[in-house]
């Protein structure tokens, strides 16, 4: 009997060939696949954790396509400053959302939650962390998709945030904002922290490794946090060397 951890079961246009943990996974075209046949004979997926090494491999032609390209390089590619590399804009390359622990103080207070919501300038966060290469959203699904619902949501308004903050009874105590470590977690967190400070909310950042943050989240041991949800869809590459850009 095959073990899924070493030889995964499944069916599709490719068949599993090899997995070297932490290094690479190899697939080959499955000619007996019932649907549309794969356009390439072999696919090798390499694990390159360091962003600089990953991008250098793309430039050198050691790999044909990468994802999670550092945003400052994506910006230069879009502007044509880096030659020989094309890009594909994925309709959904990731999602960021702010979550409140509404079961416990202080965010069982609806007016305090609303004060935070009105204090956040999403466009400023997108510009600071992603060089503007992202779209603001108020729900999981993007506008134009089947499951998107056009419902009212708080828009950036510092005066309204300050008024709600006063009504909430907030006394100036420090609130802990938890995040999981990532390429731009520090920038995201610092931008949110600065925006909340402008309306009078004191925030301390607590950025943890992803596994630790997830466990704290599951146990409800947090005030509010901004978890990262990676949702990637890669379209057809424009050139041989291609990076995937977020929207």
């Amino acid at each position: 009997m095959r073990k899924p951890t070493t030889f995964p079961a499944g069916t599709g246009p490719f068949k599993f060939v090899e997995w070297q943990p932490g290094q690479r996974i190899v697939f080959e075209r499955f000619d007996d696949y019932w649907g549309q046949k794969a356009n390439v004979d072999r696919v090798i997926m390499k694990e390159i954790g360091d962003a600089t090494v990953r991008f250098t491999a793309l430039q050198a032609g050691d790999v044909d396509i990468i994802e999670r390209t550092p945003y400052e390089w994506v910006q230069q590619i879009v502007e044509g400053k880096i030659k020989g590399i094309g890009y594909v804009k994925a309709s959904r390359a990731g999602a960021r959302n702010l979550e409140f622990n509404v079961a416990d103080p202080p965010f069982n207070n609806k007016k305090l939650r609303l004060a935070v919501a009105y204090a956040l300038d999403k466009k400023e966060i997108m510009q600071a962390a992603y060089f503007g290469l992202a779209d603001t959203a108020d729900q999981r699904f993007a506008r134009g998709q089947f499951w998107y619902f056009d419902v009212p949501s708080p828009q950036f308004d510092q005066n309204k945030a300050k008024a709600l903050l006063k009504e909430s009874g907030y006394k100036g105590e420090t609130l802990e904002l938890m995040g999981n470590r990532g390429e731009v977690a520090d920038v995201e967190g610092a931008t949110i922290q600065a925006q909340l400070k402008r309306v009078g909310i004191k925030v301390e950042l607590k950025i943890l490794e992803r596994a630790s943050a997830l466990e704290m989240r599951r146990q409800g041991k947090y005030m509010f946090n901004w978890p990262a949800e990676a949702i990637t869809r890669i379209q057809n590459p424009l050139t041989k060397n291609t990076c995937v850009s977020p929207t």
Side-chain angles (χ1 to χ4, degrees):
M1 182 176 179
R2 291 175 176 174
K3 297 180 180 180
T5 55
T6 57
F7 203 108
T11 180
F14 289 96
K15 58 184 178 182
F16 172 80
V17 176
E18 177 190 48
W19 175 36
Q20 297 179 17
Q23 298 183 46
R24 70 178 195 168
I25 302 177
V26 181
F27 301 93
E28 289 181 354
R29 182 169 60 192
F30 181 40
D31 291 329
D32 293 332
Y33 177 56
W34 61 270
Q36 182 177 344
K37 303 300 187 291
N39 294 322
V40 294
D41 296 326
R42 187 176 176 90
V43 174
I44 301 174
M45 299 179 67
K46 294 183 177 180
E47 183 176 331
I48 307 176
D50 185 273
T52 300
V53 175
R54 190 162 61 244
F55 189 67
T56 300
L58 179 69
Q59 289 182 299
D62 296 334
V63 297
D64 299 311
I65 182 171
I66 66 172
E67 63 173 354
R68 297 189 179 278
T69 307
Y71 296 96
E72 62 269 25
W73 287 331
V74 173
Q75 183 68 29
Q76 293 183 55
I77 293 168
V78 171
E79 295 174 352
K81 295 179 180 178
I82 299 179
K83 305 299 182 183
I85 296 178
Y87 71 96
V88 174
K89 194 172 183 181
S91 62
R92 299 183 70 205
R96 301 292 186 271
N97 53 284
L98 197 68
E99 293 181 349
F100 300 97
N101 180 356
V102 300
D104 301 312
F107 287 113
N108 58 350
N109 185 327
K110 181 180 178 179
K111 289 187 177 180
L112 183 57
R113 299 197 302 268
L114 283 172
V116 170
Y118 280 108
L120 296 181
D121 183 347
K122 296 177 185 177
K123 290 183 178 180
E124 183 183 47
I125 297 171
M126 294 298 99
Q127 187 60 46
Y130 306 104
F131 293 82
L133 298 171
D135 295 325
T136 61
D138 57 8
Q139 55 192 276
R140 183 180 181 87
F141 295 96
R143 187 178 295 275
Q145 294 189 343
F146 179 79
W147 289 107
Y148 176 85
F149 292 91
D150 193 3
V151 294
S153 61
Q155 302 300 313
F156 176 56
D157 188 328
Q158 288 184 326
N159 291 331
K160 187 171 289 188
K162 290 177 181 178
L164 284 162
L165 188 63
K166 185 176 182 179
E167 293 175 17
S168 74
Y170 173 73
K171 303 299 183 182
E173 59 270 27
T174 299
L175 307 182
E176 186 178 84
L177 174 61
M178 185 179 76
N180 52 260
R181 196 171 305 284
E183 294 176 341
V184 294
D186 292 330
V187 178
E188 285 178 315
T191 306
I192 294 171
Q193 183 183 44
Q195 290 180 356
L196 295 181
K197 183 179 179 180
R198 291 171 198 159
V199 299
I201 301 175
K202 295 180 182 178
V203 172
E204 178 182 345
L205 297 179
K206 183 178 182 179
I207 301 178
L208 306 175
E209 294 301 328
R210 185 177 181 85
S212 298
L214 181 59
E215 185 59 30
M216 295 287 284
R217 183 182 173 201
R218 284 173 176 167
Q219 295 179 16
K221 296 180 179 179
Y222 69 98
M223 289 186 180
F224 64 147
N225 77 118
W226 81 104
E229 299 179 3
I231 307 168
T232 304
R233 180 168 67 85
I234 301 176
Q235 302 169 349
N236 294 328
L238 302 180
T239 64
K240 179 181 178 181
N241 292 347
T242 308
C243 66
V244 178
S245 167
T247 57

